[in-house]
Amino acid sequence: MHICDTYNELTSPKNITRPEFSVLSTYILIMRKLIVLLAILIPLSILSQEGSIKGRVIDQDDIPLSFVSVLLFEEGISKPTHGAITENDGSFLIEDIENKTYTITFNFLGHITISQELTLNGNTDLGDIALIETTETLEEAVISVRSPSITKSSGKLIFNVENTTLSTGDTHTLLSKTPGVLIIGDRISIKNTPTTIYINDRRVYLSPTELNAFLKSLDASIVKEIEVITIPSAKYDAESGAILNVITTKPVSIGYKGSISGRYEQAVYPKFHFGTSHYYKTEKVNIYGSYSYIPRKEYKEQFDEIVLFSPNNDIKSYWDTEFNRTTRSKVHQGNVILDINLNEKSSLSITSHINVSPDKEFNNNDISRLYNAQRQLDSTFTTKSELKNTTSNINLGVDYKAKVGEAGSEIALSSNYIIYRSNQDQFVNTVYRLFNGDLIRNSSFLTESEQDTDILTGQFSYSAPFSWGNFETGLKYSNIETKSGLDFYNVIGNSNQYNPELSDLFNYNEAIYAVYITYSKEWGKWKLDAGLRGEYTDVEGISRSLGEVNTQEYFELFPTAQIENKIDDHNTIGLSYVRRLERPRYQSLNPFKYFLNEYNYNGGNPNLVPGIDYKIMLSYNHKNKLFLDAYYIDSKDRLSILTYQDNETNTIRNIDANLISEFQYSFDATFVSSLLRWWYVSAYTSTFYMENEFLALESVQDTYSNSAFGFFSQIYNSLTLSKDESFTGDVTLYYLSNIIYGSYDYKDQFSLSCSLRKEFWDKKASITIGVDDIFDTYNVPVVSRYYNQDNSYFPQPESRFFKLGFKYSFGNTKLRDNSRDTKSKESDRLD
């Protein structure tokens, strides 16, 4: 019988007393009620007097210039509030502008930037604006074009990497070089805060292992910028303690543009990445499509050490394990994005992403040696494991936006549907021998597992500017339904005997209903951002092995507040507060046991509860070059993975668990500047103290507290090596002195990477060459040592890579850099 088919019996009315309901009908009913409630709460829009600006940009020979960046700045504000890109005939139009005094700038590569003051009173026609070609050497423009740029406001850092040497390779590597991002194993975090990954403002619903595999298959060349959001606003899901939002590129020019690319990586084994992308843009329609094929062969070594104790805490024995894994995979990845301008006030976007990894193979080998207390060899066992896995992930999305009225109000509707499928077979064989090599016994088992997950989300938002501030409110519904099964068989001779005690079926349903409201206001030297989000969560997990239905229902409020004061033109201070939720995911609640061998397994925990984080941060900004943050985070029931060794049965298990408490103090500094015309530096440092407390389940003592005082630093150097900006390079340094995760300590992690990039053929082609982790020092031992627990492991996946990449662009490749000149709301609409 098919594993998931047995859920029909497991979830039948005789086994579940809870009434069934249609997800779609419930969703529609809830949304109707919330929209009615929202309509009552939303005040009428206040009309304001607005105008427009139009004109035409030409060169000194009266030839129209397309792709010129036109930006509008309000008095006293350093960031643009409106923007446009000139069309093929040089024309531009900026609408819905409040009547006041502005500074307007016209910027085009290779030409002198024009800046002039403008007092708007209704509709204004500037006529022809002539730009003069610069006679200066290109040294002046190189840094701004080729170096990654950093902009920062309270709670958010934007790392612009498009068309730099960092944009070669995969997105996982790119994130590891992003200021404030920490990657340890499969865990990606911002300043050690639980972090959620978004792609173009869409949340990625994957487990940590699946997420890392996905990011390694995503080509960094399509990444425009990375938003590092440490204080998420109320419009984001409450469980997003911190957010990494990866923004991909979009064309700004009318016409067709395409590219082909290839990448070769050499570590222990060679790896390849082949891709092609295509853009087509008209006045009404913008189409983007891409495909990548990523064949990889990967290698990992790991060394484990366990010290086992007797009941009186004397050393009983030592257990050392040498492990290696060879992984073979062939990933197919495709994206299609269709943007349609329905009219001047509304647009529709349809997106699809598919990631298929067929027949991914893992070949695991390990040998364990058991020694007595005198370090004399007692026995050994050798384990060989073969695992084959096939996964597919399809993500479909629809977004609709429309302006309402004349005051700049906007409504937005979005929906996502995600289909995830996974099938996995594993065979494990272990041979036990005495110290002299005599056979003790042979043990074999196999497992068959599969997982079907469907995720549906729907969101509505309304935003409006008023004289008393900007207002936004919205609703969101999300539903996750997962069916999974694992069949365990003991292999005896040539027969497979089903083991019901180690087999299981698990059905998981999660529904979240959310409503939020945000408010922002600028007056004088002050700026305020505040919000409140409410979420009702309904979770149900059904496990056959446990013979029970585990339900959780709770409602929580999540306030957010940020206030800034502009002391003068060069200095700004801010204070932020946020309360967030860390919700246990399906993979952590699933009670399945996954065995590495008979004595070592990983398992979920259906009794997990949500964790709550409280964060307060004081920030300082000097000239947009020096950023200082001092903050405190207090966490209750923080989710973690704890490792326990049973000294009686000689087993070790890794389980998802709630920490009793965790807190940290941190002082962070970020510095960005062009030290010389050809040398740009971005430096990030964090000095912190963190401490946690957890249950010591295998010890006489009830609890244990783990702590660390540490230092973390990332330094990125961008070098321009030619006057025509076609030859660039970068050097990145990474160092982590000490950090804790659950009961484990990580120490002295260091990495040095460098790369070079050369453009040719009128900048339509480029070659990049580089080495990551030059000294092979990124991997470090991980230790858990307290009471009668003493175990450690030293994972050594491939980290030192030689990389060689090639990319060729064709079609209309003009000035794609203009698409990243500004991130204001108005210029976003131009993409």
Side-chain angles (χ1 to χ4, degrees):
M1 179 181 293
H2 193 274
I3 290 175
C4 288
D5 288 343
T6 60
Y7 281 104
N8 295 328
E9 177 182 351
L10 180 62
T11 60
S12 65
K14 65 180 181 180
N15 293 324
I16 305 174
T17 58
R18 189 172 187 176
E20 298 183 359
F21 62 92
S22 166
V23 171
L24 182 59
S25 61
T26 303
Y27 168 57
I28 294 173
L29 179 61
I30 294 296
M31 291 296 286
R32 281 179 179 175
K33 291 182 178 181
L34 290 178
I35 290 173
V36 171
L37 177 62
L38 183 65
I40 296 174
L41 296 176
I42 296 175
L44 293 175
S45 297
I46 299 176
L47 298 177
S48 60
Q49 295 296 320
E50 296 180 342
S52 66
I53 302 174
K54 67 177 182 179
R56 188 174 74 116
V57 181
I58 57 176
D59 64 11
Q60 62 265 43
D61 298 321
D62 293 331
I63 298 175
L65 292 176
S66 57
F67 321 118
V68 177
S69 173
V70 184
L71 300 177
L72 213 57
F73 298 81
E74 293 185 12
E75 283 187 311
I77 298 179
S78 59
K79 296 181 179 180
T81 57
H82 302 76
I85 300 295
T86 58
E87 303 292 344
N88 287 341
D89 61 356
S91 66
F92 68 91
L93 174 64
I94 306 176
E95 298 180 290
D96 302 326
I97 313 170
E98 187 177 350
N99 289 331
K100 59 173 62 176
T101 299
Y102 298 93
T103 297
I104 187 169
T105 65
F106 301 87
N107 184 32
F108 189 64
L109 184 63
H111 293 70
I112 298 174
T113 297
I114 291 180
S115 178
Q116 65 185 52
E117 188 175 287
L118 170 69
T119 300
L120 185 65
N121 185 15
N123 300 326
T124 302
D125 186 351
L126 297 180
D128 289 344
I129 299 96
L131 295 185
I132 307 301
E133 189 171 358
T134 180
T135 57
E136 298 178 47
T137 65
L138 285 174
E139 283 186 332
E140 300 294 337
V142 164
I143 293 298
S144 62
V145 172
R146 290 298 173 193
S147 299
S149 63
I150 291 180
T151 58
K152 191 174 186 300
S153 60
S154 181
K156 177 191 286 190
L157 179 146
I158 299 175
F159 188 45
N160 192 318
V161 296
E162 183 183 15
N163 210 26
T164 69
T165 50
L166 286 182
S167 61
T168 296
D170 59 78
T171 302
H172 186 272
T173 302
L174 176 59
L175 289 179
S176 70
K177 299 177 181 180
T178 300
V181 176
L182 181 63
I183 299 180
I184 298 179
D186 285 340
R187 202 167 62 94
I188 302 174
S189 65
I190 299 173
K191 302 178 181 179
N192 204 42
T193 300
T195 300
T196 304
I197 305 296
Y198 283 69
I199 305 291
N200 293 326
D201 291 315
R202 294 181 183 275
R203 182 177 169 181
V204 179
Y205 290 87
L206 292 174
S207 70
T209 300
E210 295 161 349
L211 176 63
N212 278 268
F214 167 71
L215 292 173
K216 288 178 181 179
S217 68
L218 186 63
D219 195 344
S221 66
I222 69 170
V223 177
K224 175 182 178 183
E225 62 192 27
I226 298 172
E227 296 179 347
V228 182
I229 306 173
T230 55
I231 304 291
S233 72
K235 74 176 183 179
Y236 290 104
D237 293 348
E239 63 182 296
S240 303
I243 292 173
L244 279 174
N245 188 21
V246 180
I247 306 297
T248 58
T249 58
K250 291 183 180 180
V252 299
S253 55
I254 292 177
Y256 168 77
K257 178 175 70 174
S259 69
I260 56 173
S261 62
R263 186 171 74 247
Y264 162 75
E265 298 179 2
Q266 180 66 54
V268 176
Y269 296 115
K271 301 152 185 63
F272 302 92
H273 187 293
F274 307 100
T276 181
S277 63
H278 302 270
Y279 301 87
Y280 180 71
K281 183 179 177 67
T282 69
E283 295 285 352
K284 293 289 186 179
V285 178
N286 175 19
I287 303 175
Y288 166 78
S290 68
Y291 169 76
S292 297
Y293 173 62
I294 310 108
R296 296 178 67 88
K297 185 178 181 182
E298 300 169 284
Y299 183 77
K300 176 184 178 181
E301 289 184 345
Q302 182 168 306
F303 300 92
D304 298 0
E305 295 182 350
I306 305 173
V307 180
L308 297 167
F309 297 90
S310 63
N312 60 2
N313 280 343
D314 292 332
I315 293 178
K316 181 177 69 173
S317 61
Y318 299 91
W319 188 345
D320 297 342
T321 301
E322 296 180 18
F323 169 88
N324 68 74
R325 170 189 293 160
T326 302
T327 305
R328 295 174 176 86
S329 62
K330 296 178 180 179
V331 177
H332 301 268
Q333 182 175 279
N335 296 276
V336 176
I337 301 174
L338 175 63
D339 294 326
I340 305 173
N341 294 321
L342 301 176
N343 52 51
E344 293 182 355
K345 293 190 175 183
S346 62
S347 63
L348 179 68
S349 178
I350 302 173
T351 63
S352 64
H353 169 81
I354 182 170
N355 186 288
V356 178
S357 176
D359 299 327
K360 185 175 183 179
E361 296 180 358
F362 301 83
N363 294 304
N364 303 323
N365 300 277
D366 72 65
I367 179 170
S368 297
R369 300 178 176 87
L370 281 71
Y371 302 87
N372 60 22
Q374 289 73 42
R375 274 287 185 178
Q376 297 171 327
L377 182 64
D378 178 76
S379 60
T380 67
F381 66 87
T382 303
T383 300
K384 293 184 179 296
S385 170
E386 297 178 358
L387 186 150
K388 182 172 288 187
N389 173 268
T390 295
T391 61
S392 64
N393 191 318
I394 301 174
N395 191 325
L396 306 173
V398 178
D399 293 275
Y400 172 78
K401 293 182 179 180
K403 296 179 182 179
V404 180
E406 302 297 331
S409 302
E410 184 178 90
I411 62 170
L413 295 168
S414 65
S415 182
N416 287 292
Y417 182 52
I418 302 166
I419 306 168
Y420 177 81
R421 300 291 182 263
S422 174
N423 295 277
Q424 180 171 291
D425 298 328
Q426 182 184 26
F427 175 77
V428 180
N429 179 68
T430 304
V431 179
Y432 298 85
R433 299 182 184 276
L434 292 174
F435 68 94
N436 60 2
D438 291 346
L439 179 67
I440 301 175
R441 65 186 177 93
N442 187 309
S443 174
S444 299
F445 65 87
L446 64 87
T447 63
E448 298 175 348
S449 64
E450 62 182 55
Q451 174 187 335
D452 294 348
T453 299
D454 295 285
I455 302 173
L456 174 67
T457 69
Q459 184 166 337
F460 166 81
S461 65
Y462 171 82
S463 60
F466 298 96
S467 59
W468 40 267
N470 296 318
F471 167 84
E472 181 177 339
T473 188
L475 316 167
K476 184 177 181 181
Y477 168 78
S478 62
N479 179 269
I480 302 176
E481 181 177 352
T482 297
K483 296 179 180 180
S484 59
L486 182 145
D487 286 345
F488 188 101
Y489 298 89
N490 295 311
V491 180
I492 301 176
N494 294 323
S495 64
N496 302 331
Q497 296 185 0
Y498 179 71
N499 187 334
E501 293 183 357
L502 296 177
S503 303
D504 198 6
L505 296 170
F506 186 63
N507 192 7
Y508 177 82
N509 286 277
E510 174 185 285
I512 303 173
Y513 307 87
V515 59
Y516 73 90
I517 184 172
T518 66
Y519 170 77
S520 62
K521 170 70 174 177
E522 292 188 35
W523 70 100
K525 296 184 177 182
W526 292 91
K527 179 181 179 181
L528 172 67
D529 290 286
L532 180 65
R533 186 181 185 92
E535 289 192 355
Y536 169 75
T537 304
D538 185 1
V539 174
E540 178 183 74
I542 309 169
S543 170
R544 183 181 66 180
S545 64
L546 298 178
E548 64 180 25
V549 177
N550 179 27
T551 61
Q552 296 182 30
E553 296 184 37
Y554 50 91
F555 176 78
E556 295 282 350
L557 291 174
F558 304 97
T560 302
Q562 303 179 62
I563 188 168
E564 288 185 352
N565 176 255
K566 186 176 182 180
I567 301 173
D568 52 40
D569 289 340
H570 301 309
N571 300 280
T572 302
I573 59 172
L575 182 65
S576 306
Y577 169 81
V578 65
R579 181 180 189 263
R580 309 301 282 180
L581 175 78
E582 187 182 11
R583 185 178 287 112
R585 308 307 311 173
Y586 153 80
Q587 293 85 358
S588 299
L589 294 167
N590 188 346
F592 289 2
K593 294 179 180 179
Y594 293 94
F595 289 86
L596 303 178
N597 53 57
E598 286 189 279
Y599 295 94
N600 191 337
Y601 68 86
N602 303 325
N605 180 1
N607 297 315
L608 293 175
V609 298
I612 299 292
D613 289 350
Y614 305 85
K615 181 176 183 178
I616 186 168
M617 181 171 71
L618 180 65
S619 59
Y620 170 73
N621 178 347
H622 177 67
K623 291 185 175 181
N624 280 321
K625 290 186 176 182
L626 176 64
F627 311 98
L628 305 178
D629 295 317
Y631 56 90
Y632 169 74
I633 302 176
D634 184 28
S635 303
K636 304 297 182 185
D637 298 318
R638 167 67 67 84
L639 297 175
S640 185
I641 296 178
L642 297 177
T643 299
Y644 295 104
Q645 64 187 64
D646 188 326
N647 292 296
E648 294 185 10
T649 61
N650 296 345
T651 58
I652 187 166
R653 65 188 190 275
N654 309 286
I655 63 171
D656 292 270
N658 288 108
L659 303 180
I660 298 173
S661 63
E662 181 176 89
F663 68 88
Q664 68 168 310
Y665 300 93
S666 183
F667 178 77
D668 298 354
T670 304
F671 174 76
V672 292
S673 180
S674 295
L675 300 182
L676 298 172
R677 290 181 177 180
W678 50 270
W679 180 16
Y680 171 89
V681 173
S682 166
Y684 168 83
T685 66
S686 179
T687 305
F688 57 87
Y689 174 80
M690 53 192 314
E691 181 178 318
N692 64 32
E693 183 181 12
F694 56 88
L695 293 174
L697 297 180
E698 294 292 343
S699 307
V700 175
Q701 299 87 344
D702 292 331
T703 65
Y704 179 77
S705 293
N706 197 13
S707 62
F709 178 82
F711 175 78
F712 173 52
S713 178
Q714 288 173 305
I715 302 176
Y716 171 78
N717 300 267
S718 176
L719 309 173
T720 302
L721 305 175
S722 66
K723 292 184 177 182
D724 65 355
E725 73 183 37
S726 66
F727 188 31
T728 59
D730 70 65
V731 179
T732 305
L733 294 93
Y734 168 106
Y735 175 68
L736 175 64
S737 68
N738 189 22
I739 200 169
I740 61 174
Y741 179 67
S743 62
Y744 280 114
D745 292 277
Y746 300 75
K747 292 185 178 180
D748 295 325
Q749 191 175 43
F750 172 77
S751 173
L752 173 65
S753 304
C754 67
S755 64
L756 297 170
R757 172 173 173 148
K758 174 62 178 178
E759 291 184 331
F760 50 95
W761 295 347
D762 197 23
K763 300 184 180 179
K764 291 184 178 182
S766 65
I767 291 180
T768 304
I769 186 172
V771 180
D772 285 348
D773 192 17
I774 294 174
F775 298 111
D776 199 18
T777 53
Y778 185 77
N779 298 315
V780 295
V782 184
V783 179
S784 176
R785 187 173 290 127
Y786 65 95
Y787 302 148
N788 64 343
Q789 304 286 295
D790 190 340
N791 56 83
S792 63
Y793 66 95
F794 187 4
Q796 299 182 63
E798 296 168 300
S799 64
R800 179 164 55 185
F801 291 90
F802 168 79
K803 297 183 177 182
L804 177 64
F806 172 80
K807 183 175 182 180
Y808 176 71
S809 300
F810 45 88
N812 186 356
T813 59
K814 283 188 178 181
L815 294 174
R816 63 181 176 183
D817 293 345
N818 286 347
S819 64
R820 71 178 195 268
D821 284 342
T822 177
K823 193 66 180 67
S824 67
K825 290 182 179 179
E826 291 301 321
S827 61
D828 278 346
R829 298 177 187 147
L830 302 171
D831 290 344

